[in-house]
Amino acid sequence: MLRTILLGPPGAGKGTQAAKIVEKYHIPHISTGDIFRENIKNGTELGKKAKEYMDKGELVPDDLVIEIATTRLLADDCKNGFLLDGFPRTVYQAEKLDSFLEKHGAKIDKVLDISVEKEELMTRLTGRRVCKACGASYHVVNIPPKKEGICDVCGGQLIQRDDDNAETVANRIEVYEAQTMPLIEYYEKAGNLVHIDGATGLENVFADIVKALGE
Ligand code: AP5
Ligand code: MG
Ligand code: ZN
């Protein structure tokens, strides 16, 4: 049983580490950002609403996100744990998540706070490429695919996310500092926060995460 949250600024490596964590611990990866992008791709009403905020680097309204996340957590595959990536992102979302879990006799075991310096975040996000088909994340310099423009995992086409331009990234980082950083204190108080240095390279970061979660 492992119920865990990946916290950290845009570009900290949440999605990159999530892919490795779910493979090792066999729990579902729940990224609210991925759910929204899937909805945008499929042209749903939810996708249309979310896109207005995402393109500006603003947060999607709390109530909408909470509804999406808690509905997902009710699915059968979450019975033995889950990895939340990018949710919660405000203290209000965290409180709602706690009361939802409590109602179901559950609680969060570990919160992993991945930290990386601001300047590095900008470099990572403007150089990021993601697979159009499976969502795998690469970086033109740091973590290049074996073949340029092609996903190692599935052979899909690599593209840039709409919100990975310098202007939107700058706003996403500001929004993170104002609205999400208070969660560090929230979970510190709850006693289940672990700090992870996100700037040490992909495999080192993962090794630290495994140390924190246990084999
Ligand atoms: P979301 O999709 O969650 O984006 P984000 O939080 O901005 O985070 P990213 O996905 O950009 O970064 P990441 O930490 O996953 O980094 P990655 O591993 O890809 O949210 C998008 C939007 O949706 C939000 O702006 C908001 O509008 C909305 N939203 C989502 N959830 C919401 C919520 N709960 N409430 C309200 N709104 C919500 O890595 C980044 C780059 O770095 C890659 O190129 C990667 O290859 C590289 N890299 C990774 N690790 C390393 C390393 N160790 N060394 C060097 N390079 C590395
Ligand atoms: Mg991500
Ligand atoms: Zn792929």
Side-chain angles (χ1 to χ4, degrees):
M1 173 61 68
L2 183 59
R3 299 188 187 94
T4 176
I5 296 173
L6 276 176
L7 204 63
K14 301 184 295 293
T16 303
Q17 295 299 328
K20 297 174 73 67
I21 295 169
V22 300
E23 200 185 322
K24 180 172 172 69
Y25 294 93
H26 309 288
I27 47 176
H29 172 204
I30 302 175
S31 154
T32 38
D34 285 349
I35 295 174
F36 290 138
R37 279 183 290 277
E38 190 63 28
N39 275 274
I40 292 172
K41 195 164 91 185
N42 297 331
T44 68
E45 275 308 309
L46 171 67
K48 277 179 206 149
K49 243 186 248 171
K51 190 170 166 43
E52 280 176 43
Y53 299 92
M54 291 169 78
D55 281 351
K56 290 185 282 193
E58 299 290 331
L59 294 185
V60 175
D62 278 340
D63 289 321
L64 196 59
V65 187
I66 291 161
E67 167 73 22
I68 300 297
T70 52
T71 304
R72 177 65 186 85
L73 286 170
L74 287 172
D76 261 358
D77 64 341
C78 296
K79 285 217 167 74
N80 293 317
F82 49 78
L83 175 66
L84 287 168
D85 161 4
F87 177 86
R89 242 180 166 90
T90 62
V91 170
Y92 182 76
Q93 290 179 19
E95 287 168 351
K96 288 289 171 183
L97 173 66
D98 278 349
S99 54
F100 169 85
L101 290 174
E102 200 184 319
K103 212 171 84 191
H104 292 86
K107 63 170 188 47
I108 294 295
D109 302 308
K110 281 262 154 56
V111 180
L112 304 167
D113 176 41
I114 309 183
S115 60
V116 171
E117 268 183 62
K118 242 197 225 186
E119 300 74 59
E120 167 75 5
L121 297 175
M122 183 57 88
T123 310
R124 284 191 184 184
L125 290 176
T126 49
R128 172 164 60 184
R129 299 294 180 273
V130 293
C131 175
K132 209 175 158 180
C134 78
S137 205
Y138 300 86
H139 189 277
V140 285
V141 179
N142 300 348
I143 306 174
K146 292 198 182 84
K147 210 171 145 207
E148 200 189 320
I150 306 290
C151 176
D152 292 352
V153 183
C154 78
Q157 187 197 348
L158 300 185
I159 55 163
Q160 244 189 316
R161 248 168 64 173
D162 287 342
D163 58 350
D164 276 350
N165 58 79
E167 192 190 342
T168 310
V169 168
N171 194 43
R172 284 160 60 199
I173 294 172
E174 268 183 41
V175 166
Y176 165 79
E177 288 176 343
Q179 302 191 49
T180 307
M181 257 174 83
L183 282 181
I184 296 177
E185 204 190 316
Y186 180 92
Y187 287 115
E188 228 153 33
K189 274 191 190 142
N192 51 10
L193 189 82
V194 185
H195 292 286
I196 304 283
D197 180 357
T200 60
L202 175 72
E203 293 301 336
N204 290 329
V205 176
F206 185 60
D208 287 345
I209 288 177
V210 171
K211 241 181 256 164
L213 297 180
E215 288 287 341

